[in-house]
Amino acid sequence: MGRAFEYRKAAKLKRWGAMSRIFPKLGRVITMAAKEGGPDPEMNPKLRTAILNAKAQNMPKDNIEAAIKRASGKDVADIKEIAYEAKGPHGTLMYIETATDNGTRTVANIRAILVRNGGELLTSGSLDFMFDRKSVFEFDKKEDADLEELELELIDYGLEELEEDKIPQETGEDKEIVRVYGEYASFGELSKALEDHGIEITKAALQRIPSVPLELDEEQMDEVSELIDKLEDDEDVQAVYTNLA
């Protein structure tokens, strides 16, 4: 989604963390993963990833353990993952991923946010050919890392692309990272291969990558960014993916 959106996202998550608003979202993902594949992260790649991402946002260990335990409770809500497709201002396209125990409430909230900000919901399947679902991993770049050798070794585990990037920090300095893209179905294999190489993954997700990225000017970007912020503020929304460059 571009460096501008990476920085905006980092600032957004920091605000959420300070208010502890992101923790319920992360906890919901952990609970769903534990309910679906069991409470042992070693045997449940989806849960292991959810815990990894929660730790990256400084979610306390007690909160993580509580979220795992909730999965075995009799009164745990029937939470479902639902993705909505939408069109925003200036030709932006959006996948809005949610985790909800009330789809009627969630779709009503999302529709209202879109309408108030120049967007609209699309029919399910409208964006099938506009986005590719990819396994994406990030980790900090080490000075002595042999990325060419790593790239060759990971091809057998579904690697499609390995790139270096710099993420802006609030200190004014950029952090050097490595981003790995792989096939959707290879998430588990790639995750384990990276771990076997002693790499500490800082971010892991199944992301939706636009096939034709869209570039906007600064004013248009601000308008779209405001819409994304409002969508992300909804308690049921887990992630918003766009076709922005």
Side-chain angles (χ1 to χ4, degrees):
M1 292 175 61
R3 286 164 59 88
F5 269 76
E6 285 290 342
Y7 183 79
R8 182 191 63 80
K9 185 71 171 178
K12 180 77 171 180
L13 291 179
K14 183 176 181 180
R15 292 199 302 274
W16 275 347
M19 297 183 294
S20 295
R21 289 192 60 185
I22 193 174
F23 294 161
K25 290 173 179 269
L26 295 169
R28 189 175 295 184
V29 174
I30 291 172
T31 299
M32 284 193 304
K35 184 178 179 181
E36 179 182 322
D40 184 358
E42 293 300 320
M43 303 297 293
N44 184 345
K46 190 172 183 179
L47 176 59
R48 189 163 64 247
T49 300
I51 293 173
L52 169 71
N53 289 330
K55 287 181 177 179
Q57 300 304 327
N58 299 314
M59 187 173 181
K61 182 179 178 181
D62 290 347
N63 293 44
I64 294 174
E65 292 177 349
I68 295 173
K69 289 179 180 178
R70 276 198 297 273
S72 61
K74 294 181 180 180
D75 59 344
V76 64
D78 185 16
I79 302 171
K80 296 180 180 178
E81 293 179 289
I82 305 175
Y84 299 97
E85 299 164 49
K87 182 179 179 180
H90 310 298
T92 53
L93 303 175
M94 301 179 178
Y95 259 104
I96 305 164
E97 295 186 349
T98 70
T100 178
D101 58 357
N102 187 330
T104 302
R105 176 197 67 217
T106 302
V107 71
N109 289 347
I110 289 175
R111 181 181 287 112
I113 294 170
L114 288 166
V115 170
R116 286 196 297 266
N117 294 273
E120 62 178 311
L121 274 178
L122 300 177
T123 304
S124 180
S126 299
L127 304 183
D128 282 352
F129 298 102
M130 302 300 294
F131 289 82
D132 295 318
R133 199 92 189 268
K134 300 292 184 182
S135 302
V136 184
F137 303 88
E138 289 183 8
F139 56 90
D140 294 341
K141 181 183 176 183
K142 305 296 184 184
E143 290 185 5
D144 59 347
D146 188 339
L147 297 182
E148 289 187 7
E149 180 180 351
L150 177 64
E151 186 172 13
L152 289 173
E153 292 182 7
L154 292 180
I155 289 176
D156 292 337
Y157 299 94
L159 172 75
E160 293 184 337
E161 183 181 356
L162 185 151
E163 68 175 18
E164 299 177 55
D165 199 0
K166 293 182 179 181
I167 303 299
Q169 305 295 297
E170 290 192 334
T171 59
E173 298 180 358
D174 289 346
K175 180 173 73 170
E176 294 189 24
I177 66 159
V178 178
R179 190 175 293 114
V180 169
Y181 295 91
E183 300 168 6
Y184 171 79
S186 299
F187 185 90
E189 287 184 271
L190 266 174
S191 177
K192 188 176 186 307
L194 289 167
E195 292 173 0
D196 288 346
H197 279 78
I199 293 173
E200 185 176 345
I201 302 169
T202 57
K203 183 178 179 182
L206 290 168
Q207 295 187 6
R208 299 180 190 270
I209 310 297
S211 54
V212 183
L214 173 71
E215 292 193 11
L216 300 179
D217 61 34
E218 186 175 349
E219 184 176 345
Q220 293 171 329
M221 195 77 122
D222 287 343
E223 187 177 345
V224 175
S225 178
E226 183 177 353
L227 169 56
I228 294 173
D229 282 347
K230 290 178 179 178
L231 287 167
E232 289 177 337
D233 279 339
D234 186 273
E235 63 179 358
D236 296 330
V237 173
Q238 294 294 320
V240 179
Y241 297 106
T242 79
N243 63 333
L244 293 172

